[in-house]
Amino acid sequence: MKKFKRHLITSALPYANGPIHIGHLAGVYVPSDIYARFLRMKGEDVIWVCGSDEHGVPITLKARKEGITPQQVVDRYHELNKKAFEDFGISFDIYSRTSNKIHYQTASDFFLKLYNKGEFLEKTSNQYYDEEAKCFLADRYIMGTCPHCGNENAYGDQCEKCGTSLSPNDLINPRSTVSGNKPVLRETLHWYLPLDKYEPWLKKWILEDHREWKANVYGQCKSWIDQGLQPRAVSRDLDWGVPVPVKGADGKVLYVWFDAPIGYISATRELTPDWEKYWRDPETRMIHFIGKDNIVFHCIIFPAMLNAEGSFILPDNVPANEFLNLENDKISTSRNWAVWLHEYLEEFPGKQDVLRYALCANAPETKDNDFTWKDFQARNNNELVAILGNFVNRTLVLTNNYYSGKVPGRGPTNAYDLEVLEAVGKLKESVESNLDAFRFREALKEAMNLARLGNKYLADREPWKLVKTDPATVETIMNISLQITANLTIICEPFLPFSMKKLREWIRVGEFGWKDAGNTDLLPGGHLIGKPELLFEKIEDEKIDIQIEKLMLAKKANEAAAACVVPGKDTITFDDFSRLDIRSATILEAEKVPKTTKLLKLKIDCGLDTRTIVSGIAEFFEPRDLIGKQISIVANLEPRKIKGIESKGMILCAEDRDGKLVLVAPAGNVSNGSTIK
RNA sequence: UGCGGGGUGGAGCAGUGGUAGCUCGUUGGGCUCAUAACCCAAAGGUCGGGGGUUCGAAUCCUCCCUCCGCUACCA
C-alpha cells in the first residue's frame, strides 16, 4: 500500500430534513469515527470533515408544509444533529453546513471554473411548471395517470403500480403534488456535466487502478460505466440553494448533488487555512465514507467534477456500506420507523459505547443487516458485560484484594504465560490490518478476543487457588492480566472511547498511542491502580420492552394513517360520466404475459366484440381461476400497446387499503355487453 | 424491464475450487476471583432451488426463485 503523508476523511453529509438514526450511524458515522480515531492514535496527520446537506427540493417542501422558511428547517436539524453527533462521541474535526457563506463561495467558484473552462453543455428543455407555487417541478413531484396501467397515482419518473419508468411528459392529466394544480410546460435553460466525456478516464481510474474497492462499490461503478454515461444537469430551477453564478441564471441554483460533495471542500476550508494541503497534494489520502445509495455520486460524478476542475486530488477509497434494517423492516424517516440518535441518548444515558458496539458488531458491510433490540440487549449483556466488563472487573478486584491495588512485578514465566503475552501483540496486528482494510466488524471481534484471552488465561491459571500455595506465581499471573487490561485501553479505544476513558482512570494511566499496543510492560510493578466500578451494566428486559413497544406504536400509527380512505376527487358533470362506456363482460382466456410479474393477457367477450385486454393484476389472480368469470370493463378507453400486445379497455377492480385488488362484477348474471350506469 | 449487491447451523456473520468456520443462543460438565459473570465439551448446516464444468464446487458456468439498491423521504 502506498504510504501517504496525511489523510482526509469525509463522511456523507446527512440531509438536514430529519434527525440522525441508527442507519446513518451503522452505515457511515460509526465506521468512519473508528477509522479516524485509529489514525489519530497512530499519530497520523488526519482531518475528518462532515456537515449538514441543506439544499434541495425536499427541504423547501417541508418548509412550505410547516409554514416556515427553508433556513428554519435546516437550522433546526443542523443543531439537533450536530449536538447528537457530539454527544455520541462522533469526533468530526468539523461539522459544517452547506448554507454557510464559505460554502456558497466555494461551490460558486467551483462551478465558475468549470464554466470558464467550457466544461459544461448548455441545453434548453421543456419542463413542467407549477404556476401557483411558482416553481418548476422535479419528476417526483408530478403525479398523473399512468399510460400503461391506468394507475392515477403514477409519479413523473415511475409508476409504482406497473413498475414502468416514465418521464413526466408521459403522464395523462399531470398534476403538481405541491399545489394539486395542473402544471404547464415551460422552456428552461440548464447546464450539464458531460459525464460521457470522462468515461474513458473513469474506466481506467476505477476499473483498472482501483480493483481493491469493495465488491458492492466496484460492481456498481462497473455497471454504470459499461452502460455508458450520459450528461447530467447540474442546475435546477429553485430559489433555495447556491445560485448559478453566471448571467441569465436568475432563479436557478446548483443541483444538490453538485453542491453537496463540494461541501467537503468548504468544510475543510472552514476548518483550516491549510486546507489546500489536504485537497491538492497527491500525498494526501482521501477516503469517502458513504452508504450504498451514494456510490455513483462519490465514485463517478464527484470524481468527474474534480477531474474536470483539475487542481484537486481524487478519493483513494470509497468504503460504502449497505443498509441497516430495524426489526425486519426498512428504516424510514417518513414512517417514523427508526431509532433516533437524539432519543437514544436521552433514554440510554451514558451508554454511547453500547450502541457503538452493537452497530459496529452488526455493521452492514457486505449486505443489508438487521438491528433488533433483542440483539442489542444480547450484545450488551453477553459480550460487553460478560466478556469485556467481567474480565476487567475480575482483574481489578483481584489486584485490589491481593495487593491493595499495587501492580505486582512479573516474576518467572512459564511457556503458557509467554504464549499469552505473545498473543497480545498478534491481536493488535490483527485489529490493525482489519481496520486498514475497512473490516470494522472483524476488527472489533479481534479486539474483544483480547478480553476473551484474558478470561481464559485467568480460568486456566486459577490465581484464586494458587494464592494460598504459590504467591510468587500469582504475582506473575496478575501482572500479565493487568498488562492485558492496559492493552485493552488502547485496542478498544477506537471502538469504545467512553468506556476506555473510564478504564484508564481506574488504572490511573494516561492515553497511550497505537504503537504502545502489544507492549506488555505498560504498567510497571508498584504502579498504584484505583478502585474499579462496573464498566458496563446489564440491560434488563423492561428497558428493551419499552423500546419495542415504542416501535409497535409507530407501526400502529402508520397503519392507521394508511387506513385512511384516499381523498375524494373533484365533482364531474353527468356528461363526463356518460362518456365512459362501462360494460359487463366475460373472461374467455387468461394467461400470464411472459417475463413480467404483474401482467395478465385476457381475452374477453364484452358483447360488442371479443377483445384482448392486458391488465396488471397477475399478483392477485391465477389465470385459470379467472376463466369464465363475469367482470366489468371500461370499453372505450383508448387502445394501448403493453409489452407489444394491444390492450383495448380496462378491467375494473377495487383496490383495498393494502393494495389488494378485487374484481368488480355485476352482482347477478347479465348478458355480456350490458351497459353499466 | 435492466444493472449492481446479497440468500451459509436457532440468530447474526466469515469463507471465491481441495476434509464447512466464527460470535451469540441451546444442552451437558467444570470453576467460584468476577455483574448467575468465566472456562471446557457437545448437539445443530443436503451452503436459496434446478441443471452443467471438474478427480473434486458454498466457491466456476447456466437457468430460476427471493431480498435490497439504482428510483420521493433516505446511509
Side-chain angles (χ1 to χ4, degrees), chain A residues 1-7 42 44 282-283 285:
Chain A
M1 199 167 70
K2 188 184 162 189
K3 182 76 188 139
F4 289 88
K5 268 193 191 154
R6 67 188 76 77
H7 299 258
K42 287 214 288 189
E44 300 278 354
E283 295 291 314
R285 183 180 192 221

Side-chain angles (χ1 to χ4, degrees), chain A residues 371-474:
Chain A
F371 176 94
T372 65
W373 280 108
K374 284 287 175 201
D375 179 71
F376 169 84
Q377 183 189 26
R379 296 262 180 211
N380 179 73
N381 293 358
N382 304 331
E383 299 180 31
L384 287 177
V385 171
I387 295 166
L388 178 55
N390 187 40
F391 169 69
V392 167
N393 192 239
R394 44 203 310 216
T395 300
L396 301 192
V397 166
L398 286 176
T399 305
N400 272 290
N401 287 352
Y402 296 163
Y403 313 110
S404 308
K406 215 189 232 175
V407 175
R410 186 148 83 233
T413 46
N414 66 16
Y416 183 49
D417 296 331
L418 294 175
E419 201 181 293
V420 167
L421 289 172
E422 203 183 323
V424 176
K426 282 188 188 151
L427 282 172
K428 175 224 179 181
E429 298 295 324
S430 173
V431 172
E432 184 165 349
S433 63
N434 278 305
L435 286 179
D436 281 335
F438 308 112
R439 289 191 298 256
F440 297 96
R441 230 171 26 201
E442 187 65 20
L444 178 58
K445 203 201 287 178
E446 288 291 80
M448 286 297 282
N449 277 341
L450 185 55
R452 289 192 179 94
L453 176 79
N455 275 321
K456 184 163 160 46
Y457 179 68
L458 283 178
D460 290 341
R461 294 291 259 144
E462 298 183 305
W464 48 90
K465 280 189 184 164
L466 291 178
V467 72
K468 297 180 184 106
T469 57
D470 187 358
T473 299
V474 172

Side-chain angles (χ1 to χ4, degrees), chain A residues 32-81:
Chain A
S32 43
D33 186 60
I34 292 168
Y35 196 71
R37 284 173 186 270
F38 168 64
L39 291 181
R40 290 183 194 124
M41 285 178 75
K42 287 214 288 189
E44 300 278 354
D45 178 351
V46 45
I47 59 172
W48 179 23
V49 301
C50 192
S52 294
D53 172 10
E54 304 183 313
H55 296 136
V57 180
I59 281 169
T60 62
L61 290 182
K62 191 173 188 110
R64 191 187 300 243
K65 205 168 142 193
E66 297 186 20
I68 55 179
T69 64
Q71 189 65 49
Q72 286 171 309
V73 172
V74 301
D75 284 350
R76 178 165 79 210
Y77 289 113
H78 177 74
E79 291 310 323
L80 179 72
N81 292 340

Side-chain angles (χ1 to χ4, degrees), chain A residues 68-293:
Chain A
I68 55 179
T69 64
Q71 189 65 49
Q72 286 171 309
V73 172
V74 301
D75 284 350
R76 178 165 79 210
Y77 289 113
H78 177 74
E79 291 310 323
L80 179 72
N81 292 340
K82 184 171 196 250
K83 178 161 191 313
F85 276 135
E86 256 170 45
D87 292 347
F88 193 54
I90 298 294
S91 58
F92 300 129
D93 289 299
I94 182 168
Y95 189 73
S96 184
R97 55 194 306 185
T98 60
S99 61
N100 268 352
K101 211 170 179 181
I102 194 165
H103 175 69
Y104 274 61
Q105 190 61 50
T106 309
S108 277
D109 291 351
F110 198 111
F111 180 94
L112 266 183
K113 182 150 179 197
L114 296 196
Y115 180 84
N116 290 333
K117 284 175 84 175
E119 293 285 342
F120 293 128
L121 306 170
E122 281 184 20
K123 270 203 296 200
T124 54
S125 59
N126 281 315
Q127 287 189 10
Y128 275 118
Y129 183 82
D130 185 322
E131 289 178 309
E132 185 186 313
K134 294 193 174 54
C135 65
F136 280 91
L137 296 165
D139 295 356
R140 200 71 197 192
Y141 295 104
I142 303 162
M143 287 180 106
T145 305
C146 171
H148 298 279
C149 71
N151 169 26
E152 290 177 4
N153 294 313
Y155 290 100
D157 55 351
Q158 188 190 41
C159 171
E160 292 186 338
K161 188 66 80 48
C162 67
T164 26
S165 52
L166 304 168
S167 98
N169 299 356
D170 297 338
L171 292 176
I172 302 162
N173 296 327
R175 61 184 190 276
S176 160
T177 60
V178 180
S179 67
N181 291 347
K182 186 181 165 73
V184 296
L185 280 174
R186 208 179 253 201
E187 193 167 79
T188 179
L189 171 76
H190 284 291
W191 291 266
Y192 290 74
L193 184 68
L195 289 176
D196 45 325
K197 187 178 140 189
Y198 311 113
E199 196 178 301
W201 168 76
L202 282 164
K203 202 171 211 159
K204 180 179 183 305
W205 177 62
I206 299 175
L207 301 185
E208 288 177 34
D209 301 346
H210 285 291
R211 289 173 199 275
E212 80 283 7
W213 287 4
K214 288 175 64 170
N216 55 345
V217 177
Y218 189 89
Q220 185 157 358
C221 291
K222 185 168 185 326
S223 135
W224 267 69
I225 294 170
D226 288 350
Q227 280 173 58
L229 300 173
Q230 304 299 320
R232 287 190 67 128
V234 303
S235 52
R236 278 289 185 269
D237 293 289
L238 198 67
D239 55 4
W240 176 241
V242 179
V244 173
V246 297
K247 262 194 195 146
D250 296 338
K252 295 177 196 295
V253 297
L254 301 182
Y255 193 14
V256 262
W257 65 252
F258 187 85
D259 110 53
I262 296 174
Y264 299 140
I265 305 175
S266 325
T268 316
R269 285 183 72 178
E270 190 183 336
L271 174 67
T272 166
D274 239 0
W275 70 275
E276 283 177 285
K277 199 170 76 178
Y278 290 92
W279 277 95
R280 298 216 156 112
D281 182 354
E283 295 291 314
T284 299
R285 183 180 192 221
M286 177 157 70
I287 310 283
H288 294 312
F289 283 87
I290 56 168
K292 67 170 157 183
D293 55 333

Side-chain angles (χ1 to χ4, degrees), chain A residues 505-569:
Chain A
E505 283 163 12
W506 298 344
I507 64 172
R508 294 183 182 156
V509 296
E511 267 182 73
F512 294 109
W514 187 260
K515 65 175 186 336
D516 298 314
N519 178 342
T520 49
D521 292 295
L522 292 172
L523 296 176
H527 176 85
L528 195 64
I529 64 165
K531 288 259 189 296
E533 296 161 52
L534 294 181
L535 203 49
F536 300 100
E537 283 169 354
K538 285 214 155 207
I539 295 176
E540 302 301 333
D541 289 347
E542 295 81 68
K543 282 211 98 172
I544 295 300
D545 292 342
I546 288 172
Q547 294 300 324
I548 295 174
E549 181 63 23
K550 200 169 147 187
L551 285 172
M552 288 309 123
L553 285 176
K555 189 154 256 182
K556 274 191 193 140
N558 282 329
E559 278 164 10
C564 289
V565 178
V566 294
K569 297 178 189 174

Side-chain angles (χ1 to χ4, degrees), chain A residues 554-629:
Chain A
K555 189 154 256 182
K556 274 191 193 140
N558 282 329
E559 278 164 10
C564 289
V565 178
V566 294
K569 297 178 189 174
D570 295 342
T571 305
I572 59 169
T573 63
F574 182 76
D575 258 14
D576 288 334
F577 171 72
S578 52
R579 291 175 64 200
L580 290 168
D581 188 4
I582 309 177
R583 289 170 189 263
S584 63
T586 299
I587 299 175
L588 304 175
E589 293 170 20
E591 58 179 290
K592 268 198 92 165
V593 179
K595 289 266 176 192
T596 67
T597 49
K598 296 180 181 172
L599 297 182
L600 284 185
K601 179 180 164 188
L602 306 169
K603 184 170 271 184
I604 62 159
D605 177 356
C606 69
L608 304 164
D609 53 26
T610 301
R611 58 172 77 187
T612 299
I613 294 181
V614 177
S615 182
I617 58 175
E619 287 177 304
F620 302 98
F621 304 101
E622 281 297 320
R624 62 168 182 279
D625 297 341
L626 289 175
I627 294 169
K629 278 247 164 76

